Amino acid sequence: MDQVTALRRFNRYFTRRIGVLDDHYLGQDRPLGEARLLFEIHESASEASGTGASLRELRTRLGLDAGYLSRMAKALEAQGLVRTSVHPGDNRLRRVALTPAGRAEVTEQNRRAGALAAGLLEGLAPGQRTDLTGALATAQRLLRLAAITVTLVPGASPDARACLEAYAADLDVRFPEGFDESALVRPEEVSGDAGAFFVAYEESRPVGCGALRRLEPRVGEIRHVWVHREARRLGLARRLLAALEGEAAARGFDVVRLDTHAALTEAQAMYRACGYREIPRYDDNVYAAHWFEKRLE
Amino acid sequence: MDQVTALRRFNRYFTRRIGVLDDHYLGQDRPLGEARLLFEIHESASEASGTGASLRELRTRLGLDAGYLSRMAKALEAQGLVRTSVHPGDNRLRRVALTPAGRAEVTEQNRRAGALAAGLLEGLAPGQRTDLTGALATAQRLLRLAAITVTLVPGASPDARACLEAYAADLDVRFPEGFDESALVRPEEVSGDAGAFFVAYEESRPVGCGALRRLEPRVGEIRHVWVHREARRLGLARRLLAALEGEAAARGFDVVRLDTHAALTEAQAMYRACGYREIPRYDDNVYAAHWFEKRLE
DNA sequence: ATATTTCTTTGACTTTAGTCAAACTTTGGC
DNA sequence: GCCAAAGTTTGACTAAAGTCAAAGAAATAT
């Protein structure tokens, strides 16, 4: 309960003191809503290799009313900061991209916010600055992890399939011999009585997954534990593993097994740290080089 | 420059994800402005032993327009959440205090915000929660320190005198024999050519001070380094000391001296850690038990 | 091919937040 | 006792933020 207080105290301090200041500087010459929208268009554009973001995307990201957003976009266009066009491929969608003037504006926003942050850091000695940066990084990592939810989904759901595709693509790059998607579990193997599939969501985006299937009576197998590149080093894999083990225990399995590729040394280290011990080969997975097992309580 | 980026990244993440959520929950049934005002009235009331806060106090704390605040207070009164009365002692001021209904509302606000924070922490293992709390505490400490400014003020200024009074009151409690204000420096000793006086401000409130005066040619004396109870353990004394030493060097002093009371053991430890070494008695200060000196570069 | 859903635009609103100046009362300095 | 300053209230505004529903166009499902 004291930790709740600490979190709230920090929240109050931070949003009132720093956050408010930042917003104030951000939207110096224009409404905050427009400034934020401009910023978000810039972000979306630089993330996706493409040029610009769709209104639909911005709407969900900023959580705005469709009409409100439409009008703001029009206002930005009237000011010459963005250009809109129909989305190629889906004519219902509207694409918004920054003009050079819009990009200049975002750069200026960044300069101001950066100056604010730099001014704040100036009051600290170099060592203290490092401490601050470290503490903020730790806090952000843990807050992100805390905000991620791990939920059971049907093995055939689009999110599950999307995760497995990303997983396969990652492995294909990682394994010297490549990776063939046919080695993935089939949806029916991880649905209903046969097994389970978990997806980790960060702000309703899937950022990780893990599958459990029945191998033999009272023995389960964990497969395809994967974490999105941008959600790594948060401790998410451990949470997925814990969810899978909990599910296995609930299904009456005494033991869970899993295998890993020789190249995935960090994964092996994690399994060991989580109480798995290496066992002899139990399957004929061509990609596997190590086999592990853990006895459940 | 990378530290600036880290600070900004955290700021963005935190305000958008946690701060916004918190505000949203806070003001569930009423405008955010009113919810904040209600909260602030509660805070002021519990801080000051008295019942309620003056509008003037709330105005400076929240940085609101007088007219705007007056109207919001009236709205809260119409809703039966606060009661206003004339301030005893100054009939210009208006005092606002929570009614039982108002207190219930604040309790409900707190419950909601607490539930939000608790929900967030639930996603973490106990060890991770401790890490998070620790990181946030460190970050808050350093951010506060960074936001404090140390400035040179005339020795006779009200802020300087207020600090010295608080300093004397602290010592009077701390020293077994008490402390008499006549032992303080006189304003003229720390103004102009004779010396200097620094005040540390946090959000325009004085939270610390330190004096420098000429003892002999090329020798300065540092006196009355004090930090407000609520601004301790931030590293502020060191910053004050650094400011005083910088000023001493700028005035051509080669050496600074200072004395401390036997009871102030943490102060002694700090002086040693900051490069001061103990020397024989150099004055006849009745409160002093240890004398220190530092040679400036 | 038809119906349903998705996405955007537009019109018509409301609420919140905030500003500015004038008026009035009380205090404190001289 | 007079005058300036401080504190509050009120009137008269504006801008920003956001809501809701209707309507039209394009995609998708059946």
Side-chain angles (χ1 to χ4, degrees):
Chain A
M1 189 45 64
D2 199 26
Q3 296 180 316
V4 170
T5 317
L7 176 53
R8 289 196 56 209
R9 182 159 348 115
F10 180 84
N11 182 21
R12 210 153 46 231
Y13 182 80
F14 196 84
T15 53
R16 302 275 159 100
R17 296 279 100 74
I18 322 285
V20 167
L21 252 187
D22 197 54
D23 270 355
H24 182 254
Y25 278 86
L26 187 68
Q28 202 125 62
D29 305 322
R30 66 182 67 260
L32 191 56
E34 283 183 18
R36 276 215 261 257
L37 178 55
L38 211 54
F39 178 85
E40 211 65 41
I41 294 169
H42 174 77
E43 286 293 287
S44 306
S46 44
E47 262 174 38
S49 54
T51 47
S54 68
L55 282 186
R56 189 250 238 119
E57 201 184 325
L58 293 168
R59 189 154 44 78
T60 55
R61 273 172 85 130
L62 290 166
L64 296 175
D65 174 78
Y68 185 29
L69 177 63
S70 172
R71 254 180 277 258
M72 272 207 290
K74 207 158 78 170
L76 288 179
E77 191 166 23
Q79 292 168 71
L81 299 172
V82 305
R83 203 176 335 100
T84 66
S85 55
V86 206
H87 193 95
D90 188 340
N91 289 336
R92 287 173 306 180
L93 270 65
R94 219 159 161 65
R95 202 168 53 168
V96 195
L98 295 181
T99 61
R103 259 190 300 279
E105 178 85 19
V106 171
T107 308
E108 173 60 16
Q109 278 180 11
N110 275 323
R111 201 194 53 71
R112 278 202 209 127
L116 180 72
L120 215 111
L121 287 171
E122 236 167 49
L124 295 177
Q128 293 174 321
R129 276 178 226 171
T130 313
D131 290 351
L132 176 60
T133 311
L136 292 180
T138 303
Q140 190 169 354
R141 181 174 66 76
L142 290 167
L143 286 169
R144 276 188 68 190
L145 180 60
I148 292 177
T149 55
V150 173
T151 51
L152 199 57
V153 304
S157 73
D159 286 344
R161 301 328 287 175
C163 283
L164 286 180
E165 261 175 52
Y167 168 71
D170 273 5
L171 293 189
D172 192 47
V173 173
R174 196 81 196 271
F175 295 174
E177 70 273 31
F179 180 80
D180 192 289
E181 291 205 12
S182 63
L184 295 176
V185 292
R186 277 162 292 119
E188 62 272 21
E189 287 180 278
V190 290
S191 298
D193 279 348
F197 199 93
F198 284 93
V199 171
Y201 291 94
E202 181 175 29
E203 287 158 40
S204 69
R205 248 171 258 286
V207 292
C209 69
L212 174 74
R213 64 166 185 170
R214 213 179 72 99
L215 202 60
E216 304 168 13
R218 311 189 71 76
V219 178
E221 184 185 30
I222 287 175
R223 301 201 63 188
H224 307 334
V225 173
W226 169 79
V227 173
H228 190 287
R229 178 173 307 277
E230 287 175 12
R232 289 187 193 156
R233 313 212 50 77
L234 298 178
L236 181 52
R238 280 166 194 257
R239 260 186 78 188
L240 284 164
L241 211 52
L244 291 161
E245 289 168 7
E247 180 69 20
R251 284 167 181 253
F253 295 151
D254 299 323
V255 153
V256 282
R257 294 186 186 149
L258 54 85
D259 62 35
T260 79
H261 189 275
L264 302 177
T265 50
E266 342 75 78
Q268 290 157 34
M270 184 194 69
Y271 293 132
R272 281 183 220 279
C274 288
Y276 286 77
R277 60 186 189 80
E278 195 153 2
I279 55 168
R281 164 190 288 270
Y282 68 82
D283 65 10
D284 55 357
N285 181 349
V286 295
Y287 296 110
H290 298 276
W291 293 262
F292 291 90
E293 177 177 289
K294 180 179 186 175
R295 183 154 294 277
L296 302 175
E297 303 300 293
Chain B
M1 189 45 63
D2 198 29
Q3 296 180 316
V4 170
T5 317
L7 176 53
R8 289 197 55 211
R9 182 158 351 113
F10 180 84
N11 182 21
R12 209 153 49 231
Y13 182 79
F14 195 85
T15 52
R16 301 277 159 97
R17 294 280 97 77
I18 322 286
V20 167
L21 252 188
D22 197 53
D23 270 355
H24 183 253
Y25 278 87
L26 188 68
Q28 202 126 62
D29 305 322
R30 66 182 67 260
L32 191 55
E34 283 183 17
R36 276 214 262 257
L37 179 55
L38 212 53
F39 178 84
E40 211 66 41
I41 293 170
H42 174 77
E43 286 293 287
S44 306
S46 45
E47 261 174 40
S49 54
T51 47
S54 68
L55 282 185
R56 189 249 238 119
E57 201 184 325
L58 293 167
R59 190 153 45 78
T60 56
R61 273 173 85 128
L62 291 165
L64 296 176
D65 175 78
Y68 184 28
L69 177 62
S70 171
R71 253 180 279 258
M72 272 207 291
K74 207 158 78 172
L76 288 179
E77 192 167 21
Q79 292 168 71
L81 300 172
V82 305
R83 203 175 335 99
T84 67
S85 55
V86 206
H87 194 95
D90 189 341
N91 289 335
R92 287 173 307 180
L93 270 63
R94 216 155 164 67
R95 202 167 54 169
V96 195
L98 294 181
T99 61
R103 260 190 298 279
E105 177 86 18
V106 171
T107 307
E108 172 61 17
Q109 278 180 13
N110 274 324
R111 200 194 53 71
R112 277 203 209 126
L116 181 73
L120 210 101
L121 288 172
E122 235 167 50
L124 295 177
Q128 292 175 320
R129 276 177 227 173
T130 313
D131 290 351
L132 176 60
T133 310
L136 291 179
T138 304
Q140 190 168 354
R141 182 173 66 77
L142 290 168
L143 286 169
R144 277 187 69 190
L145 180 60
I148 292 176
T149 55
V150 173
T151 51
L152 199 57
V153 305
S157 72
D159 287 344
R161 298 331 287 177
C163 282
L164 286 181
E165 261 176 51
Y167 168 72
D170 274 4
L171 293 190
D172 193 47
V173 172
R174 196 80 196 272
F175 295 173
E177 71 273 32
F179 180 79
D180 192 288
E181 291 205 13
S182 63
L184 295 176
V185 291
R186 277 162 292 119
E188 62 273 20
E189 288 180 280
V190 290
S191 297
D193 279 347
F197 198 92
F198 285 93
V199 171
Y201 291 95
E202 182 174 29
E203 287 159 42
S204 70
R205 249 172 258 284
V207 292
C209 69
L212 174 73
R213 64 167 185 169
R214 215 179 71 99
L215 203 60
E216 304 168 12
R218 312 190 70 75
V219 177
E221 185 186 30
I222 286 175
R223 301 200 62 186
H224 307 334
V225 173
W226 168 79
V227 173
H228 191 286
R229 177 172 308 279
E230 287 176 13
R232 288 186 194 155
R233 314 211 49 77
L234 298 178
L236 181 51
R238 281 166 192 257
R239 259 186 78 188
L240 285 163
L241 211 52
L244 291 162
E245 290 169 8
E247 179 69 20
R251 285 167 181 254
F253 296 151
D254 299 323
V255 154
V256 283
R257 293 185 187 149
L258 54 84
D259 62 36
T260 78
H261 189 275
L264 303 177
T265 50
E266 342 76 78
Q268 290 157 33
M270 183 194 68
Y271 293 132
R272 281 182 219 281
C274 287
Y276 286 76
R277 59 189 188 78
E278 194 153 2
I279 55 168
R281 165 190 287 270
Y282 68 82
D283 64 11
D284 54 356
N285 182 348
V286 294
Y287 297 110
H290 298 275
W291 294 262
F292 291 91
E293 176 177 289
K294 180 179 186 175
R295 184 154 293 276
L296 302 175
E297 302 300 293

